[in-house]
PDB file of all heavy atoms in Angstrom:
ATOM      1  N   PHE A 526      11.683   6.658  19.205  1.00 98.00           N
ATOM      2  CA  PHE A 526      11.750   6.796  17.807  1.00 98.00           C
ATOM      3  C   PHE A 526      10.274   6.846  17.277  1.00 98.00           C
ATOM      4  O   PHE A 526       9.860   7.842  16.550  1.00 98.00           O
ATOM      5  CB  PHE A 526      12.435   5.610  17.095  1.00 98.00           C
ATOM      6  CG  PHE A 526      12.265   5.635  15.595  1.00 98.00           C
ATOM      7  CD1 PHE A 526      12.876   6.725  14.874  1.00 98.00           C
ATOM      8  CD2 PHE A 526      11.665   4.628  14.999  1.00 98.00           C
ATOM      9  CE1 PHE A 526      12.636   6.674  13.446  1.00 98.00           C
ATOM     10  CE2 PHE A 526      11.549   4.672  13.605  1.00 98.00           C
ATOM     11  CZ  PHE A 526      12.039   5.715  12.729  1.00 98.00           C
ATOM     12  N   ILE A 527       9.549   5.915  17.726  1.00 97.00           N
ATOM     13  CA  ILE A 527       8.093   5.901  17.250  1.00 97.00           C
ATOM     14  C   ILE A 527       7.344   7.158  17.667  1.00 97.00           C
ATOM     15  O   ILE A 527       6.708   7.701  16.777  1.00 97.00           O
ATOM     16  CB  ILE A 527       7.352   4.622  17.770  1.00 97.00           C
ATOM     17  CG1 ILE A 527       8.107   3.362  17.353  1.00 97.00           C
ATOM     18  CG2 ILE A 527       5.903   4.612  17.445  1.00 97.00           C
ATOM     19  CD1 ILE A 527       7.515   2.109  17.791  1.00 97.00           C
ATOM     20  N   ILE A 528       7.621   7.590  18.921  1.00 97.00           N
ATOM     21  CA  ILE A 528       6.944   8.799  19.320  1.00 97.00           C
ATOM     22  C   ILE A 528       7.395  10.014  18.485  1.00 97.00           C
ATOM     23  O   ILE A 528       6.683  10.665  17.904  1.00 97.00           O
ATOM     24  CB  ILE A 528       7.305   9.141  20.822  1.00 97.00           C
ATOM     25  CG1 ILE A 528       6.807   7.947  21.780  1.00 97.00           C
ATOM     26  CG2 ILE A 528       6.929  10.459  21.303  1.00 97.00           C
ATOM     27  CD1 ILE A 528       7.176   8.085  23.116  1.00 97.00           C
ATOM     28  N   ASN A 529       8.734  10.029  18.327  1.00 97.00           N
ATOM     29  CA  ASN A 529       9.330  11.185  17.586  1.00 97.00           C
ATOM     30  C   ASN A 529       8.731  11.220  16.122  1.00 97.00           C
ATOM     31  O   ASN A 529       8.356  12.130  15.697  1.00 97.00           O
ATOM     32  CB  ASN A 529      10.842  10.878  17.507  1.00 97.00           C
ATOM     33  CG  ASN A 529      11.638  12.117  17.046  1.00 97.00           C
ATOM     34  OD1 ASN A 529      11.062  13.101  16.628  1.00 97.00           O
ATOM     35  ND2 ASN A 529      12.907  11.992  17.120  1.00 97.00           N
ATOM     36  N   PHE A 530       8.676  10.004  15.503  1.00 97.00           N
ATOM     37  CA  PHE A 530       8.263   9.864  14.236  1.00 97.00           C
ATOM     38  C   PHE A 530       6.798  10.383  14.029  1.00 97.00           C
ATOM     39  O   PHE A 530       6.453  11.276  13.233  1.00 97.00           O
ATOM     40  CB  PHE A 530       8.271   8.352  13.790  1.00 97.00           C
ATOM     41  CG  PHE A 530       8.039   8.101  12.341  1.00 97.00           C
ATOM     42  CD1 PHE A 530       9.110   8.098  11.468  1.00 97.00           C
ATOM     43  CD2 PHE A 530       6.834   7.726  11.852  1.00 97.00           C
ATOM     44  CE1 PHE A 530       8.875   7.856  10.130  1.00 97.00           C
ATOM     45  CE2 PHE A 530       6.531   7.499  10.564  1.00 97.00           C
ATOM     46  CZ  PHE A 530       7.624   7.500   9.647  1.00 97.00           C
ATOM     47  N   LEU A 531       5.965   9.863  14.929  1.00 97.00           N
ATOM     48  CA  LEU A 531       4.539  10.254  14.847  1.00 97.00           C
ATOM     49  C   LEU A 531       4.392  11.725  15.286  1.00 97.00           C
ATOM     50  O   LEU A 531       3.601  12.573  14.565  1.00 97.00           O
ATOM     51  CB  LEU A 531       3.684   9.396  15.673  1.00 97.00           C
ATOM     52  CG  LEU A 531       3.757   7.855  15.336  1.00 97.00           C
ATOM     53  CD1 LEU A 531       2.970   6.984  16.327  1.00 97.00           C
ATOM     54  CD2 LEU A 531       3.226   7.614  13.918  1.00 97.00           C
ATOM     55  N   TRP A 532       4.977  12.117  16.360  1.00 97.00           N
ATOM     56  CA  TRP A 532       4.789  13.531  16.869  1.00 97.00           C
ATOM     57  C   TRP A 532       5.256  14.520  15.860  1.00 97.00           C
ATOM     58  O   TRP A 532       4.627  15.455  15.548  1.00 97.00           O
ATOM     59  CB  TRP A 532       5.567  13.660  18.275  1.00 97.00           C
ATOM     60  CG  TRP A 532       5.389  14.970  18.847  1.00 97.00           C
ATOM     61  CD1 TRP A 532       4.341  15.356  19.631  1.00 97.00           C
ATOM     62  CD2 TRP A 532       6.271  16.084  18.799  1.00 97.00           C
ATOM     63  NE1 TRP A 532       4.541  16.688  20.034  1.00 97.00           N
ATOM     64  CE2 TRP A 532       5.778  17.166  19.538  1.00 97.00           C
ATOM     65  CE3 TRP A 532       7.517  16.376  18.161  1.00 97.00           C
ATOM     66  CZ2 TRP A 532       6.324  18.305  19.730  1.00 97.00           C
ATOM     67  CZ3 TRP A 532       8.155  17.579  18.273  1.00 97.00           C
ATOM     68  CH2 TRP A 532       7.557  18.525  19.071  1.00 97.00           C
ATOM     69  N   SER A 533       6.475  14.255  15.305  1.00 96.00           N
ATOM     70  CA  SER A 533       7.057  15.298  14.421  1.00 96.00           C
ATOM     71  C   SER A 533       6.268  15.558  13.106  1.00 96.00           C
ATOM     72  O   SER A 533       6.318  16.586  12.597  1.00 96.00           O
ATOM     73  CB  SER A 533       8.465  14.934  14.041  1.00 96.00           C
ATOM     74  OG  SER A 533       9.202  14.609  15.263  1.00 96.00           O
ATOM     75  N   MET A 534       5.504  14.542  12.755  1.00 95.00           N
ATOM     76  CA  MET A 534       4.724  14.734  11.552  1.00 95.00           C
ATOM     77  C   MET A 534       3.784  15.950  11.658  1.00 95.00           C
ATOM     78  O   MET A 534       3.655  16.770  10.715  1.00 95.00           O
ATOM     79  CB  MET A 534       3.866  13.502  11.247  1.00 95.00           C
ATOM     80  CG  MET A 534       4.608  12.332  10.679  1.00 95.00           C
ATOM     81  SD  MET A 534       3.594  11.167   9.796  1.00 95.00           S
ATOM     82  CE  MET A 534       3.602   9.822  10.925  1.00 95.00           C
ATOM     83  N   ARG A 535       3.249  16.098  12.874  1.00 94.00           N
ATOM     84  CA  ARG A 535       2.275  17.186  13.095  1.00 94.00           C
ATOM     85  C   ARG A 535       3.020  18.412  13.746  1.00 94.00           C
ATOM     86  O   ARG A 535       2.719  19.611  13.346  1.00 94.00           O
ATOM     87  CB  ARG A 535       1.232  16.791  14.028  1.00 94.00           C
ATOM     88  CG  ARG A 535       0.378  15.714  13.588  1.00 94.00           C
ATOM     89  CD  ARG A 535      -1.196  16.040  13.889  1.00 94.00           C
ATOM     90  NE  ARG A 535      -1.978  14.989  13.163  1.00 94.00           N
ATOM     91  CZ  ARG A 535      -2.074  14.840  11.859  1.00 94.00           C
ATOM     92  NH1 ARG A 535      -1.213  15.563  11.084  1.00 94.00           N
ATOM     93  NH2 ARG A 535      -2.851  13.888  11.269  1.00 94.00           N
ATOM     94  N   HIS A 536       3.911  18.150  14.783  1.00 95.00           N
ATOM     95  CA  HIS A 536       4.445  19.253  15.524  1.00 95.00           C
ATOM     96  C   HIS A 536       5.867  19.650  15.332  1.00 95.00           C
ATOM     97  O   HIS A 536       6.425  20.379  16.048  1.00 95.00           O
ATOM     98  CB  HIS A 536       4.123  18.910  17.053  1.00 95.00           C
ATOM     99  CG  HIS A 536       2.756  18.394  17.248  1.00 95.00           C
ATOM    100  ND1 HIS A 536       1.723  19.231  17.189  1.00 95.00           N
ATOM    101  CD2 HIS A 536       2.184  17.221  17.427  1.00 95.00           C
ATOM    102  CE1 HIS A 536       0.591  18.560  17.354  1.00 95.00           C
ATOM    103  NE2 HIS A 536       0.889  17.262  17.550  1.00 95.00           N
ATOM    104  N   GLY A 537       6.522  18.858  14.442  1.00 95.00           N
ATOM    105  CA  GLY A 537       8.047  19.153  14.340  1.00 95.00           C
ATOM    106  C   GLY A 537       8.197  20.565  13.825  1.00 95.00           C
ATOM    107  O   GLY A 537       7.326  21.139  13.353  1.00 95.00           O
ATOM    108  N   ARG A 538       9.433  21.032  14.019  1.00 95.00           N
ATOM    109  CA  ARG A 538       9.763  22.453  13.657  1.00 95.00           C
ATOM    110  C   ARG A 538       9.615  22.422  12.062  1.00 95.00           C
ATOM    111  O   ARG A 538      10.271  21.690  11.348  1.00 95.00           O
ATOM    112  CB  ARG A 538      11.302  22.677  14.042  1.00 95.00           C
ATOM    113  CG  ARG A 538      11.784  24.078  13.641  1.00 95.00           C
ATOM    114  CD  ARG A 538      12.980  24.436  14.422  1.00 95.00           C
ATOM    115  NE  ARG A 538      14.048  23.414  14.272  1.00 95.00           N
ATOM    116  CZ  ARG A 538      14.779  23.453  13.156  1.00 95.00           C
ATOM    117  NH1 ARG A 538      14.866  24.171  12.196  1.00 95.00           N
ATOM    118  NH2 ARG A 538      15.806  22.359  13.152  1.00 95.00           N
TER     119      ARG A 538
END
Side-chain angles (χ1 to χ4, degrees):
Chain A
F526 171 65
I527 300 178
I528 294 173
N529 196 351
F530 189 88
L531 301 174
W532 182 83
S533 306
M534 282 201 253
R535 298 223 170 299
H536 314 291
R538 177 165 56 82

